Amino acid sequence: MSTSPLNLPSKASVVIIGGGIQGLACAFNLAELGVTGVVVLDAGYWQGGASGRNGTLIRGGFGTPEWTGLFQYSNQAWQSLSRSLGYNAMFTRRGYMMVAETDRTADMLHSITGIHAQYGVRNEMIRGARIAEVLPAIDGRQVKCALMLPEGGVAPHHAAMKALLHACEDRGIMVRYRTPVTGIERTGGRVAGVTVGEHRIAADSVMVAAGGHNPEVAALAGVTLPGFGMRIEAMALEPVRPLIRPAIALIDSLCYMHQTGRGEVVGGTEVPERPRMSLSTDLPVLAQTAAVYARLFPRLRTLRVLRHWAGLIHATPDYAPLIGEHPDLKDLWFSAGWSYGWAGGPGTGILLARAIARGEVDSRIAPFAIDRFARGKPLKDPAIVL
């Protein structure tokens, strides 16, 4: 295979645009299926996108069959990911607690237990004194009930991404950061390749997993995607002794959080704002997050904020991902629109690789097709924090 002065090939079987968890997971699974000549190109630096700037929380249970089917499959993939990759992704199955502060959310949590049972998601409804046993740091007077998902947990960015990268490189996948794709070529209604500056890479398929920049990359191919770029923010508190074991979603407060192995409490609160593509942070967002922490976890009130950062996502009208081949351009695939992309990465990587390599569109990704809005099939889920 010939290469350019940039050390890029002139031909690839699959070019993946985006080197975050979605891109690397798909690349790894393509190689596992025997596909050679896979190239991953990322315009940014290593872990500079959403895969290095998220809450690291992982769960399988949501509020609809579509979301639960996909994310339960991915939750299971997380549990075996280290073994599959041959490197430690450091997934910790510490549990994931969905907390209801209102009667309405409590009713919703009760209603979704049947969906969870249908897809094999283990859960436990927690109320009363049991809340203090599982989560002693929370002010139980403000909690109606909670739904615990014992197989959920967290996985730190540095470990999981390093594991994926090394596993890809071991399998001969070319991964290049700081290498922006400047064009996507199309011929006769199908994708033909990509360009990087003056260099052209012919490709049988192109897969786009560019995080918050997905709409811009889609435009390079002359197609559109539903949704828009959006900024989210998170913060970390100074380390303290263990107070919070499970990962937590405070559904009514639009807040998510967990405590790291170093003792830092990490999380964020979604604050309605005008969507904008910026990594700058805002004091109002920090203040809103701190207010939720202080109200529900009184022991956190005196702690200092160590870090406050922002990340970019591509948000869709229903905040569900867009997975599959673009209806307007054959062999152009997307793993886009993610608001829970870290949790969904390993499972989607398996299913999307099968679709690209074998043409098998699994029933767990089919509902997330790009044209679902045009068909009147949105996938709004009541159990998300966004």
Side-chain angles (χ1 to χ4, degrees):
M1 178 167 49
S2 62
T3 60
S4 72
L6 297 174
N7 199 30
L8 295 175
S10 57
K11 177 72 172 69
S13 57
V14 182
V15 172
I16 296 176
I17 303 174
I21 190 169
Q22 298 292 330
L24 293 184
C26 186
F28 169 77
N29 284 287
L30 284 168
E32 291 291 275
L33 293 173
V35 178
T36 59
V38 178
V39 176
V40 180
L41 305 175
D42 193 295
Y45 59 89
W46 168 237
Q47 294 192 69
S51 292
R53 296 169 176 268
N54 63 75
T56 75
L57 279 62
I58 296 159
R59 60 164 151 148
F62 284 81
T64 60
E66 295 85 1
W67 280 69
T68 300
L70 176 61
F71 283 91
Q72 170 64 351
Y73 179 76
S74 195
N75 197 163
Q76 293 170 334
W78 268 109
Q79 295 182 53
S80 59
L81 186 60
S82 295
R83 183 169 62 253
S84 300
L85 298 177
Y87 296 93
N88 189 2
M90 292 182 65
F91 170 71
T92 304
R93 195 171 69 178
R94 62 175 63 177
Y96 190 116
M97 178 180 277
M98 304 163 67
V99 176
E101 301 167 58
T102 66
D103 291 331
R104 179 178 179 179
T105 298
D107 290 343
M108 182 272 292
L109 292 182
H110 282 284
S111 71
I112 67 177
T113 56
I115 295 173
H116 291 187
Q118 180 182 351
Y119 288 91
V121 178
R122 293 172 52 210
N123 60 40
E124 177 189 358
M125 187 60 68
I126 297 173
R127 58 174 61 83
R130 177 72 174 136
I131 293 174
E133 294 177 17
V134 177
L135 199 60
I138 202 167
D139 182 355
R141 296 170 300 178
Q142 301 187 57
V143 177
K144 298 292 184 178
C145 69
L147 188 62
M148 171 65 86
L149 310 178
E151 294 179 339
V154 298
H157 308 125
H158 67 279
M161 289 297 291
K162 185 177 181 181
L164 274 165
L165 178 62
H166 286 337
C168 285
E169 293 175 338
D170 288 349
R171 286 156 180 77
I173 297 167
M174 176 180 286
V175 183
R176 294 287 183 271
Y177 291 91
R178 299 188 183 277
T179 308
V181 170
T182 53
I184 299 176
E185 294 186 4
R186 50 189 295 167
T187 301
R190 65 190 310 145
V191 78
V194 305
T195 54
V196 179
E198 298 296 319
H199 180 71
R200 179 179 184 270
I201 305 175
D204 299 322
S205 299
V206 173
M207 197 276 272
V208 180
H213 301 285
N214 283 313
E216 301 165 35
V217 178
L220 295 177
V223 299
T224 60
L225 288 179
F228 51 88
M230 177 179 173
R231 185 189 62 182
I232 57 175
E233 300 184 29
M235 70 181 192
L237 305 184
E238 62 181 310
V240 292
R241 67 180 179 81
L243 290 172
I244 302 168
R245 175 166 176 75
I248 299 172
L250 303 166
I251 305 296
D252 297 290
S253 295
L254 296 178
C255 184
Y256 50 90
M257 61 194 301
H258 77 284
Q259 190 169 14
T260 71
R262 294 194 299 264
E264 300 173 353
V265 175
V266 178
T269 301
E270 302 306 328
V271 178
E273 62 168 14
R274 179 177 58 85
R276 53 192 175 123
M277 296 297 283
S278 168
L279 290 178
S280 62
T281 56
D282 279 348
L283 183 59
V285 179
L286 183 149
Q288 177 97 358
T289 305
V292 174
Y293 285 8
R295 177 171 56 83
L296 283 166
F297 296 87
R299 300 184 198 180
L300 303 180
R301 290 175 180 170
T302 61
L303 299 183
R304 295 172 297 173
V305 177
L306 291 184
R307 298 183 300 281
H308 180 212
W309 66 94
L312 304 177
I313 66 169
H314 165 210
T316 62
D318 57 8
Y319 293 101
L322 302 167
I323 309 170
E325 188 176 37
H326 199 284
D328 297 331
L329 187 58
K330 189 168 178 55
D331 297 320
L332 178 64
W333 299 81
F334 284 88
S335 183
W338 286 98
S339 55
Y340 283 79
W342 188 251
T348 301
I350 296 170
L351 301 178
L352 190 53
R354 290 177 187 168
I356 295 171
R358 300 174 177 172
E360 301 172 1
V361 180
D362 190 275
S363 61
R364 284 164 290 210
I365 61 172
F368 299 91
I370 294 169
D371 65 350
R372 68 175 181 271
F373 299 105
R375 294 184 286 108
K377 298 289 186 179
L379 295 172
K380 185 67 176 177
D381 192 287
I384 66 171
V385 181
L386 233 167

